[in-house]
Amino acid sequence: MTKNYSIAKSRRLRSTPYTSRIEKQGVSSYTIYNHMLLPASFGSLEESYSHLKEHVQVWDVAAERQVEISGKDSSKLVQLMTCRDLSKSKIGRCYYCPIIDDNAGLVNDPVVLKLDENRWWISIADSDVILFAKGLAIGNKYDVKIFEPNVDIMAVQGPKSFKLMEKIFGKKILDMKFFGFDYFDFEGSKHLIARSGWSKQGGFEIYVENTESGLKLYDEMFKVGKEFNVKPGCPNLIERIESALLSYGNDMDNNDNPLECGFEKYVNLESNINFLGKDRLIKIQKNGISRKLMGLKIESNQINMTKSLEVKNEKGEIIGELRSACYSPHFKKVIGIAMINKPYWNASQAISVQINEKTIKGMVCDLPFI
Ligand code: THG
């Protein structure tokens, strides 16, 4: 069994403006993300999961840090970093963009916000994109300003998030389309709010720049949200795996390319845009990939992962590695996300994994899970 250890806080493991609040509200574990505290549980993961699917939660996701890139060459630099074609991108929209290096290895999978023609926020997953961006800008002598602004995202997630947000910001908030953003007033302070979030239960993300107003807003969420059964929460392991939302560093990292990770939708090799790793990615596409992220369904009722686990076929040969998994109340078995080698990546391929020294059977399935 895995023993748990408390986290030794220090300046390096940055707190957020919401930390003192969530600690009063019963946060029970943290992970570290972008050198910052990211709550990982408020009591039982399974209870939080059920609550998230039915009600509304407020999340401290300040650890989703922004890398601001502005200046004359900012669009050129942002495009250089991602294989997604941003040439037709619009102000007021969010774009899920794989960032890759010259070898086509994933560096991050952020949400990119186009704030203005020459001003971008890259809302990053857990890797130091700011250093990568600065290196590219210096090497290419780009005229840009790159820094981490004081932005601390508060997410409002769950089916009742719409009712709660409407009560605080008015009907206009319901007009926003998925991955759109706009500015909304709270007690005389403007806040950038996007229709996004790291769950598939619907919701919003408030990019708080004015901390004082943001903290008032945080408290208001819990006052106004009483009638919607609002609770504090955080990205939920079970919900995010069931929804197949990928986690950089867990499901994929710099040793994987976007085509292996199911990011075809966000890979544009036909247009004439210029990005790092483009030639490499064209080659990879021509030769075909040799492994792919797939789902696994495993006949067990518990798993606790701290590193990847070998995935074997019926002959006992290693055919891939399981990277994330949890018990799914919906499927009533363990489900997981695994990198599976060709030709074993087809749905229904029989597999086995070792859980607590026992061999457990399962099979490969498509992502998203159905
Ligand atoms: N919100 C913001 N920043 C973030 C995250 C977030 N930065 C870190 C991390 N999460 C980045 N990873 C993801 C992964 C998936 C999605 C968003 C960020 C996501 N995907 C949708 C999907 O897969 O259905 C939609 C993608 C699309 O079609 O454009 O939402 O959560 N601010």
Side-chain angles (χ1 to χ4, degrees):
M1 276 323 238
T2 326
K3 188 171 174 288
N4 277 313
Y5 298 85
S6 66
I7 201 158
K9 284 195 191 174
S10 71
R11 179 172 181 273
R12 185 168 54 74
L13 312 191
R14 301 178 288 177
S15 293
T16 90
Y18 315 111
T19 301
S20 64
R21 280 170 172 71
I22 66 173
E23 293 187 346
K24 279 190 200 121
Q25 291 174 313
V27 63
S28 49
S29 65
Y30 284 116
T31 184
I32 291 294
Y33 197 86
N34 290 319
H35 316 282
M36 196 171 228
L37 298 174
L38 174 63
S41 66
F42 285 79
S44 148
L45 270 192
E46 229 173 287
E47 277 168 31
S48 291
Y49 155 90
S50 302
H51 177 268
L52 172 61
K53 289 182 45 158
E54 210 179 322
H55 303 288
V56 52
Q57 295 182 353
V58 178
W59 297 357
D60 169 2
V61 283
E64 294 168 356
R65 301 311 290 168
Q66 308 308 302
V67 176
E68 177 163 335
I69 303 185
S70 62
K72 195 168 69 57
D73 295 325
S74 60
S75 299
K76 228 193 313 188
L77 177 57
V78 173
Q79 183 62 81
L80 184 65
M81 294 197 286
T82 179
C83 53
R84 181 166 183 177
D85 186 350
L86 291 172
S87 62
K88 295 187 182 70
S89 58
K90 294 184 180 71
I91 296 166
R93 295 286 310 165
C94 304
Y95 298 88
Y96 185 40
C97 294
I99 293 184
I100 60 172
D101 61 19
D102 55 325
N103 202 29
L106 280 165
V107 167
N108 205 284
D109 68 328
V111 175
V112 172
L113 289 81
K114 185 167 184 172
L115 300 169
D116 218 327
E117 282 312 327
N118 279 320
R119 187 165 169 249
W120 304 78
W121 276 349
I122 306 181
S123 187
I124 59 172
D126 188 22
S127 73
D128 294 311
V129 170
I130 192 166
L131 306 180
F132 189 66
K134 284 187 179 184
L136 287 172
I138 295 162
N140 286 296
K141 299 192 165 61
Y142 282 168
D143 181 357
V144 288
K145 188 174 154 202
I146 302 170
F147 67 105
E148 186 185 294
N150 291 319
V151 174
D152 299 288
I153 301 182
M154 171 184 357
V156 184
Q157 299 285 298
K160 295 183 185 165
S161 62
F162 300 92
K163 285 247 152 64
L164 173 53
M165 292 294 279
E166 184 187 350
K167 273 223 153 168
I168 295 179
F169 294 101
K171 264 207 155 18
K172 210 186 108 214
I173 199 122
L174 302 177
D175 296 340
M176 238 189 320
K177 293 207 179 71
F178 184 62
F179 264 45
F181 70 80
D182 209 339
Y183 301 86
F184 295 86
D185 178 85
F186 174 69
E187 293 181 354
S189 228
K190 258 193 189 326
H191 294 273
L192 188 162
I193 303 182
R195 258 280 274 119
S196 57
W198 214 55
S199 87
K200 286 270 191 184
Q201 306 311 315
F204 302 83
E205 291 183 301
I206 306 164
Y207 289 70
V208 172
E209 291 179 88
N210 178 335
T211 305
E212 196 185 322
S213 173
L215 289 174
K216 275 191 196 153
L217 176 55
Y218 185 93
D219 295 337
E220 186 75 1
M221 291 280 173
F222 288 91
K223 263 185 227 148
V224 177
K226 270 206 184 92
E227 63 170 300
F228 307 117
N229 192 13
V230 69
K231 285 196 173 155
C234 55
N236 184 282
L237 180 75
I238 307 171
E239 197 279 339
R240 81 97 181 156
I241 294 179
E242 279 188 1
S243 301
L245 289 167
L246 300 184
S247 167
Y248 186 79
N250 287 318
D251 304 317
M252 71 289 192
D253 61 30
N254 192 233
N255 299 301
D256 309 312
N257 70 57
L259 297 174
E260 292 170 333
C261 300
F263 287 149
E264 303 71 13
K265 251 173 79 183
Y266 317 113
V267 175
N268 299 114
L269 299 173
E270 319 284 82
S271 72
N272 62 1
I273 53 164
N274 180 35
F275 63 85
L276 215 58
K278 189 175 185 181
D279 294 343
R280 191 67 213 274
L281 210 45
I282 288 171
K283 250 186 218 138
I284 293 169
Q285 195 192 41
K286 212 160 78 198
N287 297 337
I289 51 171
S290 58
R291 49 190 206 140
K292 190 155 77 171
L293 276 188
M294 296 296 294
L296 292 191
K297 287 186 179 158
I298 302 164
E299 302 303 324
S300 170
N301 59 14
Q302 63 90 25
I303 190 165
N304 193 343
M305 292 191 64
T306 54
K307 56 186 176 201
S308 46
L309 296 177
E310 290 175 345
V311 177
K312 295 182 177 169
N313 65 7
E314 305 102 308
K315 290 185 197 157
E317 297 160 335
I318 296 169
I319 62 163
E321 59 173 10
L322 179 59
R323 293 179 172 184
S324 295
C326 68
Y327 173 74
S328 159
H330 179 78
F331 293 103
K332 300 198 166 37
K333 56 186 71 175
V334 166
I335 60 171
I337 298 167
M339 187 61 86
I340 303 291
N341 301 336
K342 194 177 172 177
Y344 303 103
W345 63 28
N346 294 310
S348 301
Q349 163 72 43
I351 59 101
S352 70
V353 294
Q354 293 258 85
I355 306 176
N356 300 333
E357 278 117 59
K358 273 195 228 129
T359 302
I360 316 280
K361 286 186 189 331
M363 67 169 164
V364 174
C365 66
D366 288 318
L367 289 177
F369 297 95
I370 31 167

